Amino acid sequence: MKILIRGGRVIDPDTKLDQIRDVLLEDGKIARVGEKLKEKADTVLNAKGCWVMPGFIDMHVHLRDPGLTWKEDIESGSKAAARGGFTTIVAMPNTKPVMDSPDRIDYVTVKARSCAPIHVLQAGAATKGQKGQELADIEGMAAHGIPAISEDGKSVMNSKLCREAMLAAAKCGIPFLDHCEDADLAAGGCVNEDENSRKSGLPGISNAAEDAIAARDALLAAETGVHLHLCHCSTRNSAVLLKLAKLAGVSISGEVCPHHFTLCSDDMVPGDTNYKMNPPLRTREDVEALRQALHDDVFEVISTDHAPHTTEEKSTTMRKAPFGIVGLETAAALTYTELVETEILTPMQMAEKMSGNPARILNLTGRGSLAEGKEADVVILDPREEYVIDAKKFVSRGRNTPFNGRKVKGKIRATICGGKIVYRDEE
């Protein structure tokens, strides 16, 4: 099976190529990248005016499978990812039951092979049942293919146990994906602690709830040698801490989600629980600090924290509604609109943060690249296309987004995974 992508702007974070080129895919690999290739192909895709990049890699997705599949499952979530330009996603372990043993990892692996159009990787929990009392079988899960461990949804509050989990991950050569939240500081909060929360009478979550654990875990990572990846950073001090830790020689990276670099607490619509997420939307000053740190490459990754819930679950009060929004089908357009078109990021930085850097952090050596011989995971994005986000068109079962009705630019025209077209925009 040969696919020829003709005349697109090839943006490759691996080789640093940024030129108009043709790309030939053959037998699931990048066969050739060059000018006006003459090879015949089974399928020719006209990419004139579009960007051709390595398939996006999302390090932070909730697929709700097993146990919560009325919200999402592996099939619906992976198809939503394909529509969003993602060819690899990492599912978080806070399912029911928790992903804390090799046999449970195997469940996801086997099911994904049968129904997912893209690569689905399952992160393992750091502790059994995510209860924070004893280590999960990290070595056993690593042998069954987990790319990372994470306690996502909470932090491992016992510092000694967290250190032991990091040591185990370091031994296995996998990163620790860190949800930074001091449970005592955040307890009961549902929005950011600021003037808006005080006016509305809602309990707030302070920046310190995130920053305290980020600082603690950076120190633990320095001792253990694990690669620490800070998930869904939302505060200005998270950028400061990350920069300082890097200067101190800590193996550490961090991600920002589109909702945190786009929206602040001033943008929230009172009573609309689609604006409720964890960590919460912070102040405008925090947003500007995150944008600057993305520009400066302090933050290397853009992830979604895709967290689907049903309309019924979200149709309650801010205090009672679950945290989280969907993001797989809006991330590329929000990144282009908010960061690239505004010249905060270059097109190459977008490719680095959504593909190249995640591949490097997760040790996915064949992905995040358009170099010849690498996996044929490719996304074609049209930066000229302006459209309005319509949650009713989502492939995801979740419709819980604060971006419904928002005008954006940057549309996914095609997603190719393993040399197969797994999504093609027909409009």
Side-chain angles (χ1 to χ4, degrees), residues 167-232:
L167 285 168
K171 181 181 178 181
C172 295
I174 56 176
F176 186 107
L177 311 184
D178 200 10
H179 175 116
C180 297
E181 181 183 27
D182 187 301
D184 297 316
L185 287 174
C190 61
V191 293
N192 187 52
E193 184 178 279
D194 58 17
E195 190 60 33
N196 292 309
S197 67
R198 288 185 282 273
K199 286 180 180 178
S200 64
L202 292 172
I205 301 172
S206 71
N207 284 26
E210 178 175 325
D211 300 337
I213 298 297
R216 182 202 71 170
D217 289 355
L219 293 170
L220 292 176
E223 280 196 358
T224 60
V226 76
H227 181 84
L228 180 67
H229 180 76
L230 304 181
C231 296
H232 49 42

Side-chain angles (χ1 to χ4, degrees), residues 112-135:
R113 284 174 183 164
S114 70
C115 67
I118 63 167
H119 309 292
V120 176
L121 305 177
Q122 178 62 59
T127 71
K128 290 184 179 180
Q130 291 191 306
K131 295 179 179 179
Q133 296 173 357
E134 58 180 315
L135 286 187

Side-chain angles (χ1 to χ4, degrees), residues 13 31 33 74 79 145 156 241 281 304 344 355 382:
V33 178
I74 291 169
K79 287 180 177 178
V156 181
L241 288 164
L281 297 175
T304 68
I344 294 169
S355 188
D382 188 344

Side-chain angles (χ1 to χ4, degrees), residues 4 8 31-32 72 93 104 140 144 164 178 180 188 197 259 282 294-295 306 358 368 375 387 413 419 424:
L4 181 61
R32 284 194 63 193
E72 191 82 284
R104 291 174 182 172
H144 283 242
E164 291 173 358
D178 200 10
C180 297
S197 67
H259 44 279
R282 305 290 188 181
L294 282 162
H295 169 80
H306 176 82
E375 292 189 36
Y387 67 100
R413 290 301 185 195
R424 192 167 182 178

Side-chain angles (χ1 to χ4, degrees), residues 37-193:
L37 299 180
K38 302 299 184 182
E39 282 88 349
K40 292 183 179 180
D42 301 286
T43 302
V44 177
L45 299 177
N46 180 8
K48 185 177 181 180
C50 296
W51 296 356
V52 180
M53 296 181 282
F56 299 144
I57 299 171
D58 194 341
M59 295 180 64
H60 195 149
V61 172
H62 297 271
L63 293 181
R64 312 301 192 196
D65 193 349
L68 301 163
T69 51
W70 62 88
K71 301 172 187 273
E72 191 82 284
D73 63 14
I74 291 169
E75 182 174 9
S76 63
S78 62
K79 287 180 177 178
R83 185 172 184 258
F86 293 94
T87 52
T88 300
I89 57 177
V90 178
M92 292 297 103
N94 56 338
T95 50
K96 291 186 178 181
V98 168
M99 293 286 116
D100 60 3
S101 64
D103 62 312
R104 291 174 182 172
I105 301 302
D106 290 345
Y107 161 82
V108 174
T109 302
V110 171
K111 185 171 180 179
R113 284 174 183 164
S114 70
C115 67
I118 63 167
H119 309 292
V120 176
L121 305 177
Q122 178 62 59
T127 71
K128 290 184 179 180
Q130 291 191 306
K131 295 179 179 179
Q133 296 173 357
E134 58 180 315
L135 286 187
D137 182 6
I138 295 170
E139 188 171 346
M141 291 188 291
H144 283 242
I146 62 168
I149 62 167
S150 180
E151 202 81 341
D152 192 65
K154 62 179 75 174
S155 292
V156 181
M157 290 304 298
N158 183 315
S159 298
K160 182 176 183 294
L161 191 62
C162 188
R163 185 177 185 275
E164 291 173 358
M166 289 185 180
L167 285 168
K171 181 181 178 181
C172 295
I174 56 176
F176 186 107
L177 311 184
D178 200 10
H179 175 116
C180 297
E181 181 183 27
D182 187 301
D184 297 316
L185 287 174
C190 61
V191 293
N192 187 52
E193 184 178 279

